Amino acid sequence: MTDTTQISRRALAWLAVGVATTAAAPSFGQIRRPMASVTSGSWMDQVKAQHRMVDTLFLQLKGTQEGQGPRRTMLLKQLADTLTAHSVAEEVCLYPGIAMMNAVPKSDELYMEQSHAKVILAELDRMPKRGPEFPMRLTTLEMAVKEHVADEENNVYPRLMRASSPEQNAKMTADFRLHYNKHIV
């Protein structure tokens, strides 16, 4: 069994295709300001905007060179902070709703995938930012995130939105925004 398979090929809830890499790494505030939409609209709109934001960070990290250790470190921290805030909001506001749709195994699977993502992020944080290991491990994380995101956006979340009343969706929207904002650095 490959490392990617053991990590749960779908690991991590969150994110898909993004924007182009920039020449100089922006500060976290610069990334967040243009992405005001990450807390706008319905919970589904917020989820998708945050997924795109994470994709942008992956693109920026992949655009770094081996000798750009400090930049890799900064971008990795931004990625970890964004994924953490996003995962907390999902785990508190959306995954319980999935479980209440008689889909406890799916909810458990999503929680587990996010746990695996956090382990990979910790490994990336601790490993040298030079050498082939960093980009290879980053690719493992990105592939797992993209697979997780595709399942959420195309299957799980549309079902949750349809199964929830307008009042429930409004509550999930407000709660999702609150928890994301509370945990974003």
Side-chain angles (χ1 to χ4, degrees):
M1 209 178 252
T2 67
D3 186 41
T4 304
T5 304
Q6 290 172 341
I7 290 172
S8 172
R9 291 180 306 148
R10 307 168 20 107
L12 328 177
W14 321 302
L15 335 238
V17 215
V19 186
T21 306
T22 59
S27 72
F28 187 65
Q30 289 171 320
I31 290 173
R32 286 183 62 203
R33 263 183 236 107
M35 297 296 289
S37 65
V38 300
T39 57
S40 299
S42 71
W43 62 264
M44 179 74 91
D45 295 334
Q46 294 174 57
V47 165
K48 288 180 178 182
Q50 291 166 23
H51 288 171
R52 302 298 84 76
M53 184 174 172
V54 170
D55 256 354
T56 298
L57 290 166
F58 273 120
L59 285 171
Q60 290 173 343
L61 262 166
K62 290 183 343 187
T64 61
Q65 302 301 312
E66 192 173 302
Q68 294 179 300
R71 181 168 182 219
R72 283 181 173 176
T73 299
M74 180 193 67
L75 288 170
L76 184 63
K77 178 167 179 8
Q78 291 173 359
L79 178 64
D81 289 347
T82 302
L83 288 175
T84 298
H86 180 79
S87 71
V88 168
E90 285 184 321
E91 291 167 3
V92 171
C93 305
L94 305 180
Y95 293 177
I98 294 164
M100 288 185 254
M101 293 183 340
N102 293 321
V104 171
K106 177 49 99 176
S107 179
D108 289 349
E109 176 185 327
L110 295 170
Y111 278 111
M112 185 60 72
E113 290 172 356
Q114 292 197 148
S115 294
H116 287 299
K118 290 169 183 148
V119 170
I120 297 171
L121 282 165
E123 291 172 354
L124 284 163
D125 184 52
R126 290 183 178 117
M127 72 174 39
K129 304 307 180 262
R130 295 175 180 246
E133 295 82 19
F134 183 85
M136 288 175 15
R137 198 68 178 138
L138 182 66
T139 297
T140 299
L141 177 63
E142 181 184 33
M143 289 170 46
V145 166
K146 284 185 177 192
E147 198 171 321
H148 178 94
V149 165
D151 186 36
E152 283 182 340
E153 289 188 7
N154 298 323
N155 302 310
V156 179
Y157 287 163
R159 284 193 307 246
L160 177 60
M161 187 165 266
R162 286 190 305 272
S164 301
S165 70
E167 295 79 20
Q168 290 168 325
N169 276 311
K171 179 166 177 25
M172 285 188 288
T173 294
D175 290 349
F176 191 88
R177 180 178 299 111
L178 173 76
H179 284 281
Y180 179 81
N181 284 334
K182 187 182 342 180
H183 290 91
I184 196 66
V185 177

